[in-house]
Amino acid sequence: MPDRKLELTVTDLKQHAYCERIPYFTHVLPVEQHPTYPMQRGKETQAVVEALEKRRGFRGYGLAGGRRLFGLSLQSERLGLHGRLDLVVVTDEACFPVDFKDTDGPVRSNHRLQMAAYCLLVEEAFARPVPLAFVYLISRREAVPLAISGAYRESVLERLDAIRRSVAHEAFPEPTAVRARCTGCEFRNYCGDIW
Ligand code: SF4
């Protein structure tokens, strides 16, 4: 049986959608991970965006007002899930998670899954509905609204179960079908079967 108590992160979910092997490596094998250049850069840009964001109004979010909470650590005992959210805008009626994105590429399905996980965490933490999430595109200084469907929320629960099953049974997942992802992957030395 999967270990219901195995604590997972929003990053595990996002990585699982990218390649199911990555959370396996993280939780089953003692693979040492190093912060990548994008991770380092992300920390630096976060500080800059926070400073800019504090001076902005709420019109970019289609809201009359609200309260901003930056760098929020969220945890759900019920889901066995935690994560750190860049920003949440809180109003009397609802909450709006915001993720800062440092690239111009389109919002992909693994990103929507990540936001669905934050929606679940925010709904539980604030006991308020989350009608919309936003991806804040740093280069364009634009907040793009994302309606997170029930299918993505369901997918969060299914993937949490799938990761726990894989870890509990030490079942090595299939590689991603998108082999272009393997070229720059920090785990490629552990995936001898794909080359
Ligand atoms: S090398 Fe490819 S298959 Fe292996 S973990 Fe990375 S993305 Fe997945």
Side-chain angles (χ1 to χ4, degrees):
M1 286 288 290
D3 180 1
R4 289 286 309 159
K5 291 194 170 54
L6 176 65
E7 183 74 12
L8 296 173
T9 66
V10 176
T11 301
D12 286 325
L13 280 168
K14 189 179 174 192
Q15 290 177 330
H16 190 259
Y18 188 81
C19 176
E20 295 182 11
R21 283 188 175 180
I22 296 177
Y24 176 89
F25 288 135
T26 307
H27 291 280
V28 175
L29 299 181
V31 175
E32 194 181 345
Q33 287 182 278
H34 303 285
T36 60
Y37 171 69
M39 285 162 76
Q40 296 279 28
R41 182 149 182 254
K43 283 184 185 161
E44 289 159 18
T45 52
Q46 171 93 13
V48 175
V49 175
E50 280 187 20
L52 285 171
E53 179 70 22
K54 282 173 187 162
R55 297 203 295 268
R56 279 160 42 100
F58 290 91
R59 245 187 335 192
Y61 300 105
L63 299 171
R67 191 161 51 101
R68 289 182 175 91
L69 301 172
F70 291 97
L72 205 62
S73 291
L74 296 161
Q75 180 155 25
S76 165
E77 206 172 310
R78 180 178 63 89
L79 297 173
L81 178 67
H82 67 274
R84 190 172 185 278
L85 178 62
D86 291 337
L87 167 66
V88 63
V89 180
V90 183
T91 70
D92 287 341
E93 297 81 27
C95 290
F96 302 87
V98 184
D99 185 55
F100 299 156
K101 193 163 182 283
D102 194 20
T103 62
D104 280 334
V107 176
R108 299 188 190 281
S109 63
N110 66 334
H111 211 96
R112 281 183 188 273
L113 182 82
Q114 178 190 25
M115 293 314 289
Y118 284 129
C119 287
L120 292 172
L121 289 172
V122 166
E123 280 167 354
E124 186 175 323
F126 290 85
R128 287 178 174 85
V130 174
L132 272 183
F134 290 88
V135 170
Y136 183 90
L137 298 174
I138 294 170
S139 61
R140 287 164 32 190
R141 296 191 186 180
E142 181 189 350
V144 178
L146 285 184
I148 303 295
S149 70
Y152 275 98
R153 292 166 192 247
E154 275 299 310
S155 180
V156 169
L157 306 181
E158 288 166 7
R159 285 181 187 278
L160 288 174
D161 275 351
I163 296 169
R164 289 186 178 115
R165 271 200 307 275
S166 156
V167 171
H169 300 297
E170 297 193 12
F172 196 40
E174 290 297 316
T176 173
V178 186
R179 288 305 160 83
R181 292 176 181 167
C182 300
T183 310
C185 175
E186 62 181 304
F187 300 105
R188 62 186 179 278
N189 289 342
Y190 299 89
C191 291
D193 58 324
I194 62 166
W195 304 107

